[in-house]
């Protein structure tokens, strides 16, 4: 098992680690790994991390080529429904947990479809999540990936490029049409957030590299798509056991830490069930390398030699 390498992606941990007040209550084995490891700062979000684990070249632009996982050789953009919230002098975008039904999607798409006529665009529901915009030609515009905008002010993420003004105008017209929609009036009456905008993103080509992974595990639509493209079956079970490890490289997307719940209890359970046995395996040189990747924070890389560096407390 000496050539076993394990990469664990642990979402939701960045906000906890970056609060110094939490440093004294971080569980034992996570503390050991953090203190002994080589650290590389990386502000990439979860979606970008996943893409780059399968990409021939690191994706460094503002967008992520999500559409290329569904279509090849066609001109498509994602045009995902979202909620814009005015907060003082900025607009905050939210796209998660929108609870949008198929009937609501169909009605909203029908209402705003005429706005895309000048762009020769056809709006439809995606086969996965969200909406798709089919175009005759891709615009000379650079967009920003929705997962990296959600929860933030949109001003610095608006389209850039020669045709940017046309797409910002279209974006504004869609907002005005949605604001007057009866669908949104009913949603508000039912205590739901209105769908008052769309977000254009997902353009670009994606070149897969030959997958180095022996096993891929985790619950994620994007990870499932990437695994399918690399022809490696995805195991959706979120639990992971060191007893199943053999020579090879493993990629595991762990469940996200819910910081709005009892996050310390969640972390302690993860520390006991996963990190403690992994630490022991690495210390005994039964694992050649462990990488703990934390989206929007960085990567901790641990080798057997690192475990024995007594001068690192």
């Amino acid at each position: 098992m000496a050539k076993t390498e394990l990469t664990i992606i642990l979402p939701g941990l960045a906000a906890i680690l970056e609060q110094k007040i939490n440093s004294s209550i971080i569980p034992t084995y996570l503390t050991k790994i953090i203190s002994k490891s080589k650290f590389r700062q990386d502000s990439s979000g979860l979606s970008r991390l996943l893409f780059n684990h399968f990409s021939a070249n690191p994706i460094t632009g503002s967008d992520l080529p999500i559409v290329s996982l569904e279509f090849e050789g066609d001109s498509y953009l994602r045009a995902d429904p979202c909620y814009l919230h005015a907060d003082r002098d900025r607009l905050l975008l939210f796209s998660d947990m929108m609870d949008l039904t198929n009937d609501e999607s169909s009605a909203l798409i029908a209402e705003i479809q005429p706005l895309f006529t000048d762009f020769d665009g056809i709006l439809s529901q995606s086969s996965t999540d969200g909406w798709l915009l089919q175009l005759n030609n891709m615009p000379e515009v650079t967009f920003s990936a929705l997962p990296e905008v959600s929860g933030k002010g949109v001003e610095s993420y608006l389209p850039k490029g020669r045709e940017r003004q046309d797409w910002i105008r279209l974006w504004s017209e869609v907002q005005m049409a949605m604001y007057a929609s009866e669908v949104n009036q009913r949603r508000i009456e039912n205590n739901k957030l209105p769908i008052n905008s769309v977000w254009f993103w997902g353009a670009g080509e994606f070149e897969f590299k030959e997958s180095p992974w022996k096993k891929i595990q985790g619950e994620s639509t994007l990870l499932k798509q990437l695994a399918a493209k690399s022809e490696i079956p995805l195991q959706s079970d979120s639990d992971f056991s060191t007893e199943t490890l053999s020579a090879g490289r493993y990629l595991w997307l762990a469940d996200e830490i819910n910081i709005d719940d009892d996050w310390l209890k969640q972390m302690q359970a993860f520390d006991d069930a996963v990190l403690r046995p992994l630490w022991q395996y690495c210390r005994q040189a039964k694992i050649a390398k462990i990488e703990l990747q934390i989206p929007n924070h960085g990567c901790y890389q641990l080798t057997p030699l690192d475990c024995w560096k007594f001068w690192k407390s």
Side-chain angles (χ1 to χ4, degrees):
M1 206 182 294
K3 294 184 179 179
T4 301
E5 297 184 7
L6 174 61
T7 297
I8 305 174
I9 303 176
L10 186 57
L13 196 54
I16 297 169
L17 293 182
E18 289 168 4
Q19 293 291 329
K20 291 185 178 180
I21 195 172
N22 295 328
S23 60
S24 63
I25 58 175
I26 298 299
T28 301
Y29 290 93
L30 177 57
T31 298
K32 286 178 179 288
I33 292 174
I34 288 175
S35 64
K36 301 286 188 179
S37 293
K38 300 177 183 70
F39 177 69
R40 183 182 74 253
Q41 187 173 10
D42 187 349
S43 61
S44 298
L46 175 59
S47 296
R48 189 172 296 271
L49 280 177
L50 291 177
F51 263 108
N52 283 334
H53 278 306
F54 294 84
S55 177
N57 300 294
I59 300 173
T60 57
S62 61
D63 207 354
L64 293 172
I66 187 71
V67 176
S68 66
L69 300 181
E70 292 187 64
F71 303 96
E72 294 182 4
D74 291 307
S75 298
Y76 284 92
L77 284 175
R78 290 289 288 260
D80 286 336
C82 56
Y83 168 62
L84 289 178
H85 175 74
D87 178 54
R88 297 183 180 180
D89 58 347
R90 60 179 182 166
L91 282 174
L92 298 176
L93 182 146
F94 299 94
S95 61
D96 298 326
M97 309 289 288
M98 298 307 296
D99 191 22
L100 183 63
T101 68
N102 287 334
D103 288 344
E104 288 175 330
S105 277
S106 297
L108 287 169
I109 287 172
E111 289 178 16
I112 64 175
Q113 175 58 58
L115 299 175
F116 296 93
T117 302
D118 290 343
F119 293 79
D120 295 321
I122 300 174
L123 194 62
S124 64
Q125 294 188 55
S126 169
S127 60
T128 52
D129 299 315
W131 297 349
L132 280 171
L133 179 62
Q134 184 176 8
L135 302 164
N136 287 335
N137 298 290
M138 291 299 290
E140 295 183 32
V141 173
T142 300
F143 299 98
S144 294
L146 178 60
E148 298 178 350
V149 181
S150 189
K152 302 176 183 176
V154 301
E155 288 75 15
S156 59
Y157 296 98
L158 293 177
K160 297 177 176 62
R162 191 177 68 83
E163 300 177 51
R164 65 181 300 272
Q165 291 299 336
D166 293 335
W167 283 84
I168 293 175
R169 173 179 55 80
L170 172 62
W171 181 61
S172 298
E173 290 175 351
V174 167
Q175 292 173 47
M176 289 187 287
M178 285 184 154
Y179 179 80
S181 171
E182 291 184 3
V183 172
N184 279 323
Q185 300 307 314
R186 290 193 295 270
R187 285 179 63 87
I188 292 171
E189 291 170 2
N190 292 323
N191 296 316
K192 293 182 179 181
L193 291 176
I195 307 298
N196 59 9
S197 185
V198 298
W199 190 257
F200 302 114
W201 72 290
E205 297 181 355
F206 182 55
E207 182 182 354
F208 274 85
K209 65 180 177 183
E210 184 177 351
S211 180
W213 307 112
K214 179 175 182 177
K215 180 180 178 182
I216 303 170
Q217 191 167 337
E219 295 186 20
S220 160
T221 299
L222 176 56
L223 184 58
K224 182 178 180 180
Q225 291 175 305
L226 291 166
K229 282 282 188 178
S230 64
E231 299 182 343
I232 297 179
L234 173 68
Q235 298 192 19
S236 59
D237 185 0
S238 59
D239 294 328
F240 196 92
S241 172
T242 53
E243 296 177 0
T244 65
L245 294 176
S246 58
R249 295 184 64 186
Y250 295 76
L251 176 64
W252 178 34
L253 173 60
D255 290 338
E256 183 168 1
I257 298 292
N258 183 358
I259 61 173
D260 295 324
D261 200 354
D262 188 344
W263 57 263
L264 185 56
K265 182 179 180 180
Q266 298 170 58
M267 289 180 61
Q268 188 63 61
F270 186 81
D271 203 66
D272 292 339
V274 177
L275 297 185
R276 179 169 64 175
L278 284 177
W279 168 266
Q280 292 169 348
Y281 268 53
C282 191
R283 200 164 183 261
Q284 297 165 11
K286 293 180 178 180
I287 296 179
K289 182 170 66 174
I290 298 171
E291 283 195 356
L292 182 61
Q293 295 188 334
I294 302 171
N296 308 116
H297 180 73
C299 175
Y300 295 94
Q301 185 179 106
L302 184 75
T303 65
L305 181 60
D306 294 324
C307 296
W308 292 95
K309 292 179 178 178
F310 63 87
W311 59 91
K312 286 189 173 183
S313 58

